[in-house]
Amino acid sequence: MTEVSLISRFDALLADLDGVVYAGPHAIPGAVESLQQLSGLGVGLGYVTNNASRSPAQVAAHLRELGAPAEDDQVVSSSQAAAELLASRLAPGSRILVTGSPALAHEIELVGLVPVYSQDEEPVAVVQGFNPNIGWKDLAEATYVVSAGALWVATNTDMSIPQARGIAPGNGTLVAAVTAATGQKPLVAGKPEAPLFHSAAKRLGAERPLVVGDRLDTDILGGNNAGFATVAVLTGVDTRQSILAARAAERPDYLIETLPDLHRPYPEVTHDDGTYSCGKASARVASGAVGIIGSPDDLDAWRAACAAWWAATPDASAPQAPQLAWMDH
């Protein structure tokens, strides 16, 4: 029996962008080719982004410049998910106070709702997304409407965004200002909440999607929240060590080095009497430490270690890094 590739077990790939497809302006080696191979396998492809300041068409254009396959409708943004969330709860033609970018207002129009910019226009909901031009008056307007009891949806609550000069305040900080003033909390459409992932899967008609991301706290947690299979890739933020230490809600189903690993067979992890084996490596937990037979350079050793440690700490509500004891074969 020929071993099947990891991706062939699924009918779609829902991919994060930064740290997975590109790092800054450049594509990550092997990523574009891996994405190009999917259509030949009959596997759908969607891109899932929390960025609500760029339109999906702008994101898709950037991906095409890098050589990645990307039609505009393959990009699902948190602003689209927010619009769909509002449309599912409100009557067509409802007025929505937009505290965000023109791209966000456009998504609100596309689902049959009406963007407005003042409490005087009697909005029944507020949608809040990132826009570098937002000022105090915009946040005050949102605060008035939220305080009056309106439905409040945030595209995402990322606290920071990387800029050329360093880390800058993200949408989460602006949402936090309205929370501080009103005592209310919004529904969140973007990662790590489920709506963004459900929107992407629905658009592709996918029943068994695989979510790939480099961050446990957004991509993996979000995919898990949506009830989808998740794979962490080591080309971005999280590392072998941080993944091993992950709290239960942020643990991925699979762990790969780079996107080309999607097209290779995934080694099975087996266990026997507390020893977890993967490839030639094995691991077991004793007195709070993980003993690993294998090499720190071998990802199978980390897969075995994760299986052993996670089985020993199934309900971890905070990250816990175990002591590691490495032994050669």
Side-chain angles (χ1 to χ4, degrees):
M1 184 177 135
T2 55
E3 289 187 273
V4 298
S5 67
L6 174 57
I7 195 58
S8 66
R9 304 178 193 183
F10 301 96
D11 61 359
L13 185 70
L14 304 182
D16 175 49
L17 294 172
D18 202 9
V20 175
V21 181
Y22 50 71
H26 303 293
I28 288 169
V32 166
E33 296 77 5
S34 301
L35 297 171
Q36 289 169 341
Q37 287 174 268
L38 295 174
S39 63
L41 301 170
V43 174
L45 172 60
Y47 299 99
V48 180
T49 176
N50 261 359
N51 188 324
S53 58
R54 288 198 298 173
S55 71
Q58 289 169 318
V59 174
H62 178 209
L63 286 164
R64 288 195 295 271
E65 281 166 22
L66 297 175
E71 300 294 330
D72 292 0
D73 65 356
Q74 281 175 278
V75 177
V76 187
S77 72
S78 61
S79 50
Q80 288 179 317
E84 286 184 23
L85 189 57
L86 287 162
S88 72
R89 294 181 175 233
L90 299 169
S94 294
R95 295 176 185 198
I96 314 298
L97 182 79
V98 175
T99 311
S101 67
L104 176 57
H106 182 59
E107 296 300 339
I108 293 299
E109 288 178 332
L110 288 177
V111 295
L113 301 171
V114 179
V116 299
Y117 296 92
S118 158
Q119 186 189 25
D120 300 339
E121 295 178 89
E122 299 181 352
V124 295
V126 175
V127 65
Q128 190 169 356
F130 185 73
N131 179 356
N133 299 320
I134 281 177
W136 179 86
K137 287 183 175 173
D138 304 298
L139 296 175
E141 216 59 49
T143 300
Y144 304 144
V145 178
V146 170
S147 295
L151 175 63
W152 180 25
V153 171
T155 57
N156 65 298
T157 48
D158 296 23
M159 289 310 239
S160 62
I161 48 169
Q163 298 286 295
R165 291 163 57 195
I167 295 293
N171 195 52
T173 61
L174 300 170
V175 168
V178 179
T179 290
T182 62
Q184 302 295 313
K185 288 200 165 167
L187 293 173
V188 181
K191 302 181 230 183
E193 304 306 320
L196 185 59
F197 296 94
H198 287 151
S199 290
K202 185 171 140 193
R203 193 176 300 185
L204 294 170
E207 291 175 11
R208 297 186 318 285
L210 177 64
V211 173
V212 60
D214 67 308
R215 289 182 68 133
L216 298 178
D217 61 351
T218 53
D219 309 319
I220 304 305
L221 178 58
N224 290 345
N225 282 339
F228 297 156
T230 52
V231 54
V233 63
L234 296 168
T235 48
V237 170
D238 274 294
T239 63
R240 293 166 175 79
Q241 290 83 354
S242 66
I243 291 166
L244 175 63
R247 64 190 183 96
E250 296 182 359
R251 293 170 177 172
D253 296 298
Y254 305 98
L255 175 59
I256 60 176
E257 296 261 11
T258 61
L259 284 191
D261 287 346
L262 291 171
H263 298 285
R264 301 184 180 113
Y266 192 86
E268 190 183 1
V269 177
T270 57
H271 65 98
D272 178 34
D273 196 27
T275 296
Y276 289 77
S277 303
C278 184
K280 294 175 181 170
S282 63
R284 65 180 296 131
V285 175
S287 55
V290 183
I292 307 164
I293 298 175
S295 160
D297 302 332
D298 178 10
L299 198 57
D300 284 348
W302 291 92
R303 290 164 172 152
C306 286
W309 179 241
W310 296 349
T313 57
D315 304 314
S317 58
Q320 288 176 285
Q323 291 287 321
L324 302 182
W326 292 93
M327 292 159 275
D328 289 332
H329 289 294

